[in-house]
Amino acid sequence: RPPKEPLFVIAGDLGSGADGVCGELARWCGGCVIDMNELVLTEMRSKSAVGESFRDQMSRGLLLPFAQILPLIHRAIMLTAPPYFVKGISSLEDVQALSTTL
């Protein structure tokens, strides 16, 4: 189970500067950026069963359900130091799902 550590969710539309803010905050606080898009791409590159499932869904134009990405976020949290800045969450429901599992 992931540690109960500070978790921050950075949200913003394209061009909003959220990417830069996320990185700057992580550097300033000594934390870690967890980029959901990068987690998915890395999993797809790994050729794992999960990555192949992601590739299949995306090739059919489907959005990946947050529940399928959540284990990747948990794994990243277990491998890095807090505080965590999670980038790419797009809904309050996803924030709540993440926070209730930590």
Side-chain angles (χ1 to χ4, degrees):
R1 186 160 179 105
K4 296 211 179 261
E5 299 289 351
L7 171 74
F8 301 94
V9 174
I10 307 298
D13 293 329
L14 289 175
S16 69
D19 287 351
V21 168
C22 197
E24 288 297 317
L25 284 171
R27 279 189 288 284
W28 184 65
C29 294
C32 164
V33 175
I34 298 174
D35 184 332
M36 286 181 22
N37 292 328
E38 191 57 41
L39 292 176
V40 168
L41 291 173
T42 299
E43 193 66 28
M44 288 170 58
R45 283 187 217 112
S46 77
K47 307 270 193 210
S48 69
V50 171
E52 291 300 319
S53 172
F54 289 171
R55 184 181 314 282
D56 176 61
Q57 290 175 73
M58 292 172 72
S59 71
R60 292 184 287 134
L62 301 173
L63 295 176
L64 298 177
F66 183 73
Q68 292 180 3
I69 302 169
L70 194 53
L72 303 180
I73 297 171
H74 282 187
R75 182 172 51 192
I77 286 173
M78 296 300 291
L79 296 173
T80 57
Y84 308 104
F85 295 85
V86 181
K87 187 174 79 170
I89 293 180
S90 60
S91 74
L92 180 57
E93 291 81 18
D94 292 348
V95 171
Q96 291 170 332
L98 176 60
S99 67
T100 58
T101 62
L102 296 180

